Amino acid sequence: VQLQASGGGLAQPGGSLRLSCAASGSIFSINVMGWHRQAPGKQRELVADITSGGNPNYADSVKGRFTISRDNAKNTVYLQMNSLKPEDTAVYYCSAAIRTTSGGAEYYYWGQGTLVTVSS
């Protein structure tokens, strides 16, 4: 199983970016998918996650600015980031709770990380 993230880059304060993360490989089912971030010198933190039924959960710092969504048919999760702030600068990691066989255990997988820089 692999998670491939894309969409990071440089944005100006107030700008927007959209991240994507596609899961591939031997997948039976995917439960929660999410995005975390890690800024320099800080611990990794949850940004947002979303259940297989589409229920989102957001960190207080991004509520009203970021939107998480997913396409279950494509095993893909998205993060639309609007009104970006310099403090959003971080490496963003996607994650997914995946079961590879029916009745098997569920494990968390992580993408490779994509850098988001917000600067003028």
Side-chain angles (χ1 to χ4, degrees):
V1 175
Q2 287 188 326
L3 270 64
Q4 182 68 45
S6 61
L10 176 65
Q12 292 189 339
S16 298
L17 285 173
R18 189 187 193 219
L19 306 182
S20 300
C21 177
S24 61
S26 180
I27 297 171
F28 175 77
S29 63
I30 304 178
N31 192 357
V32 176
M33 302 185 82
W35 291 94
H36 294 68
R37 68 186 179 187
Q38 187 166 18
K42 295 188 176 181
Q43 289 188 332
R44 190 175 297 190
E45 62 175 0
L46 175 69
V47 176
D49 58 24
I50 184 168
T51 67
S52 57
N55 293 316
N57 172 57
Y58 297 97
D60 288 343
S61 59
V62 306
K63 282 181 181 177
R65 301 188 298 120
F66 291 9
T67 302
I68 190 169
S69 61
R70 64 190 283 174
D71 184 332
N72 291 333
K74 296 181 178 180
N75 291 335
T76 299
V77 62
Y78 306 96
L79 186 68
Q80 177 66 42
M81 304 184 293
N82 298 329
S83 302
L84 283 162
K85 303 176 180 180
E87 50 264 43
D88 294 319
T89 296
V91 177
Y92 284 70
Y93 299 90
C94 59
S95 66
I98 295 174
R99 184 173 284 115
T100 57
T101 60
S102 174
E106 191 175 88
Y107 294 99
Y108 262 88
Y109 293 84
W110 293 88
Q112 82 282 12
T114 184
L115 178 63
V116 171
T117 303
V118 184
S119 175
S120 55

